Amino acid sequence: MKKVGIIGYGWLGARIAASLSNTYKIYTTTTTVEKAEELNAKGVHAMVVNFPDYQLSEPYPKWEALENLDVLIITIPISEKSCCVSSLYNRIRNLSSFIGEFKGQMFLMSSTGVYPDTEKEFTEIDVPVEKISGERMVRNKYPQVNILRLGGLMGDNRLLKNYNVSNLNFAVNHIHYKDIAGIILKMIENGTEKCLYNVTAPFHPAKFQVINAQKNIENGEEPEEVKGKKILSSKLVSELEYVFQYPDPRKFHEI
């Protein structure tokens, strides 16, 4: 059985782990002792670790579990929006000390927030890795890394109707967590490396259409114009031949 490490057992990390646990042995990190104890009791190998955005007096010790891991999935924030560039450098430096010279298959969870708020359709070539500090730093250190630019994370308790939403005529760029896990699973099976993919559901309805569907409001009207940017996942569909479980955000609330 292959062993998968997940750095960051938050909302997404927990759901990726649950989706892979039937096929792979899971090792993970969390930020609290209580959560680590809870996970270890459930058979998930967990340890407590944080990755501060300041320079440590001594480098992080290498994660001992890495010696046995086949796959590493990084879900902690690695972006300029989470901290300034100098702080980001320190965070990635601390992360790199923890990972060491890992040579296995690797995944970095990035965000479609790297694309500007321009009303157009974006593909990966519009904003290459070299222009995004966090992605570039990680790829320079780990050239094999797969970078997944995730849309708005949805599914379970995350539904658009639960948020204070503006610009209701603007398109959504959402992704169901089950499709994130499905894409990672397929890439693991394929042994995929060095890829950059946008990960968004293929359909981009207006926000009000998604909210109406989630509130069971009967409104079949199409908007006169769906505004805003649309982040396309056509590259991963073509290269991976991936079929989305949840292609339409208007149906994310359906089980």
Side-chain angles (χ1 to χ4, degrees):
M1 177 181 287
K2 279 190 175 183
K3 299 177 176 64
V4 175
I6 300 175
I7 295 181
Y9 196 89
W11 188 91
L12 178 60
R15 282 157 178 78
I16 293 174
S19 297
L20 300 182
S21 59
N22 289 334
T23 311
Y24 302 102
K25 194 169 185 178
I26 304 297
Y27 295 75
T28 190
T29 71
T30 184
T31 57
T32 67
V33 173
E34 293 77 12
K35 176 60 72 173
E37 291 176 346
E38 177 187 332
L39 291 172
N40 282 308
K42 294 179 179 178
V44 176
H45 301 269
M47 71 170 293
V48 179
V49 64
N50 287 284
F51 298 100
D53 52 14
Y54 54 85
Q55 187 170 349
L56 299 173
S57 56
E58 295 182 5
Y60 254 109
K62 184 180 173 183
W63 192 12
E64 292 182 1
L66 280 168
E67 298 294 337
N68 299 313
L69 296 184
D70 301 287
V71 180
L72 187 62
I73 301 170
I74 302 169
T75 72
I76 63 172
I78 303 288
S79 72
E80 292 92 334
K81 290 187 177 180
S82 62
C83 54
C84 65
V85 174
S86 60
S87 297
L88 180 63
Y89 172 81
N90 289 329
R91 179 177 295 176
I92 294 176
R93 183 180 179 182
N94 294 331
L95 174 65
S96 298
S97 295
F98 185 67
I99 296 173
E101 300 297 325
F102 184 73
K103 301 297 184 183
Q105 194 179 23
M106 184 184 293
F107 296 85
L108 174 66
M109 303 298 105
S110 184
S111 169
T112 55
V114 302
Y115 296 102
D117 289 324
T118 305
E119 195 161 323
K120 63 165 286 185
E121 295 182 338
F122 286 97
T123 65
E124 293 83 352
I125 62 174
D126 291 306
V127 181
V129 170
E130 292 72 26
K131 289 189 175 181
I132 306 301
S133 299
E135 294 180 356
R136 182 180 67 249
M137 291 179 197
V138 174
R139 177 155 281 178
N140 284 345
K141 177 72 175 178
Y142 305 99
Q144 80 273 27
V145 69
N146 295 300
I147 299 172
L148 304 184
R149 291 175 175 170
L150 308 181
L153 304 179
M154 294 292 168
D156 283 351
N157 59 328
R158 287 198 178 189
L159 297 174
L160 195 61
K161 70 175 183 178
N162 297 331
Y163 296 87
N164 184 16
V165 179
S166 59
N167 299 321
L168 292 175
N169 284 332
F170 278 56
V172 298
N173 294 285
H174 288 171
I175 183 67
H176 197 289
Y177 72 87
K178 287 188 177 179
D179 277 310
I180 299 173
I183 289 164
I184 291 173
L185 181 60
K186 185 148 193 177
M187 293 176 73
I188 292 174
E189 292 172 347
N190 291 351
T192 305
E193 292 190 331
K194 302 180 181 179
C195 284
L196 169 66
Y197 290 134
N198 293 334
V199 182
T200 57
F203 290 96
H204 302 270
K207 295 177 185 178
F208 82 84
Q209 292 178 292
V210 176
I211 294 171
N212 286 349
Q214 292 172 356
K215 291 183 175 181
N216 293 316
I217 297 174
E218 295 292 336
N219 187 345
E221 293 183 9
E222 293 293 326
E224 292 182 5
E225 180 184 9
V226 179
K227 300 181 179 180
K229 63 183 178 184
K230 295 180 181 178
I231 313 300
L232 305 184
S233 57
S234 49
K235 181 183 176 186
L236 81 81
V237 171
S238 172
E239 294 186 359
L240 298 179
E241 298 182 348
Y242 182 76
V243 178
F244 280 81
Q245 301 173 58
Y246 289 87
D248 191 341
R250 286 169 290 193
K251 298 184 178 181
F252 279 8
H253 62 292
E254 298 177 0
I255 299 176

